[in-house]
Amino acid sequence: MKQNDRGIISSYDFKKVSVKLGYSLMVLLIVCMAITMLYPFFDTFFSSLKTREEFFSFPPTFFPKDWIWKNYYDAWTQFDLPLLTFLKNTILIYVGNMVFSLMFIGLAAFALSHLKVPFKKWVTLYFLATLLIPPATYIVPNFLNLKSLGLINTYWAFWLPAAVNAYFMLLLKNFFDGIHKEILEAARMDGASEFKSFTTIAVPLSLPIIGTVLLLAFSNTWNDFYWPNIVMTEKSMYPLATGIYRYVVYPTSVIPWSVRFAILTLAMLPPILFFLTFQKFIIRGLSASSVKG
């Protein structure tokens, strides 16, 4: 047998009945998990193509008898939903989150990795410990702080918390730890400041993990509902998830259920396409971050 033909289970091991049984059970478990995760997406899509009568029929049907694509047209034109306003708010929140994250978290991670910071290990441990705190415990303090600053119903209610994301900071720090100190020492000898070393050396070398942070932040911003529902009370400031809840999912909504599911399907497509397109990039960046540390 060739060396490059050997995988987790070799052909010799696979001849054993116990190995075959264990492998079959593992594949069955993966298939069941995949079906469990994919079912809500397909159910939402097929429900969006049903008529009102078929939607409430019993027993329920999974596939629609008549594919009513007009539901997607109605989702955009019939009910005067400010979907473009919600989308604009979501994009502005995401862009601001990224600017503040890379500006503050990136510099903090670089400092903890390559500068002489007092009690560096304890500071890093503090950031790591914050990941163990349930987010629900600091929602009220964050809200009270933002309210006292007059930042409710502003994008700053998202941008400021994004500047102290401990998970992203640790991801970037682990990657920065893999940058050879000799490269930075050579830059200092050439007269480069620490900030210039960060922008001209650390950032270009860290594009994989920065790209991963950007993609993960996009998913968080797009799907975030609970925090925007607290800090945004003006309809013109709703991001997409909050706007869909208020106008579409809320029990008092007059939108037909099939059209509601059409709107939900449209809202699910961007993050799905984002992940399918850049999944290798995300996995590569996370793997590099874990190895370089």
Side-chain angles (χ1 to χ4, degrees):
M1 178 176 23
K2 297 180 180 180
Q3 184 68 24
N4 56 4
D5 290 338
R6 183 176 178 87
I8 298 177
I9 301 177
S10 66
S11 58
Y12 175 79
D13 295 331
F14 204 72
K15 294 178 180 180
K16 301 178 182 180
V17 177
S18 59
V19 174
K20 284 185 177 181
L21 180 61
Y23 183 80
S24 301
L25 292 175
M26 181 181 66
V27 172
L28 179 62
L29 178 62
I30 294 175
V31 170
C32 292
M33 293 174 62
I35 293 175
T36 303
M37 298 179 68
L38 292 175
Y39 176 80
F41 298 107
F42 285 105
D43 184 58
T44 302
F45 171 68
F46 290 132
S47 297
S48 69
L49 298 172
K50 295 178 180 179
T51 61
R52 183 182 183 280
E53 293 73 16
E54 186 179 2
F55 189 93
F56 290 103
S57 64
F58 186 84
T61 59
F62 185 69
F63 297 101
K65 295 179 181 178
D66 298 318
W67 295 56
I68 311 299
W69 294 99
K70 185 177 178 296
N71 292 335
Y72 285 89
Y73 177 78
D74 292 343
W76 281 101
T77 61
Q78 289 292 317
F79 300 97
D80 195 27
L81 292 177
L83 293 178
L84 292 180
T85 300
F86 300 156
L87 182 61
K88 180 202 72 173
N89 292 334
T90 303
I91 293 175
L92 289 176
I93 291 171
Y94 170 69
V95 172
N97 287 352
M98 285 302 88
V99 171
F100 279 87
S101 294
L102 296 180
M103 184 184 303
F104 293 100
I105 297 177
L107 289 172
F110 181 77
L112 291 175
S113 181
H114 290 286
L115 301 184
K116 295 181 179 180
V117 178
F119 308 106
K120 181 187 301 187
K121 292 184 179 180
W122 287 103
V123 174
T124 304
L125 183 62
Y126 168 78
F127 279 104
L128 181 62
T130 60
L131 297 177
L132 304 178
I133 302 175
T137 59
Y138 48 79
I139 286 180
V140 174
N142 281 349
F143 174 80
L144 295 177
N145 289 335
L146 292 171
K147 185 178 180 180
S148 63
L149 294 173
L151 299 180
I152 301 299
N153 286 316
T154 67
Y155 298 128
W156 291 98
F158 300 90
W159 296 343
L160 290 183
V164 289
N165 190 306
Y167 177 66
F168 290 164
M169 197 279 292
L170 292 173
L171 279 180
L172 292 171
K173 180 188 177 302
N174 286 341
F175 199 98
F176 290 155
D177 287 342
I179 299 177
H180 295 294
K181 297 184 182 297
E182 291 79 7
I183 301 177
L184 300 175
E185 289 292 341
R188 295 188 185 101
M189 293 179 64
D190 290 337
S193 63
E194 300 296 347
F195 182 75
K196 188 174 183 179
S197 298
F198 170 75
T199 56
T200 61
I201 297 177
V203 171
L205 292 176
S206 306
L207 290 181
I209 192 61
I210 291 176
T212 301
V213 169
L214 295 178
L215 295 174
L216 293 177
F218 173 81
S219 177
N220 293 339
T221 304
W222 190 272
N223 297 321
D224 191 12
F225 157 74
Y226 192 69
W227 181 246
N229 198 44
I230 295 176
V231 298
M232 293 298 192
T233 58
E234 296 181 3
K235 295 180 180 180
S236 60
M237 298 297 294
Y238 287 164
L240 190 64
T242 304
I244 287 178
Y245 173 76
R246 295 285 187 176
Y247 283 86
V248 179
V249 183
Y250 209 68
T252 57
S253 176
V254 298
I255 301 176
W257 279 99
S258 297
V259 179
R260 295 190 195 191
F261 275 77
I263 297 173
L264 293 176
T265 302
L266 292 174
M268 288 191 300
L269 282 179
I272 293 175
L273 295 176
F274 237 78
F275 178 77
L276 292 178
T277 304
F278 299 104
Q279 58 176 326
K280 292 184 179 179
F281 192 73
I282 296 175
I283 296 173
R284 189 177 304 167
L286 292 175
S287 302
S289 178
S290 62
V291 171
K292 286 181 179 293

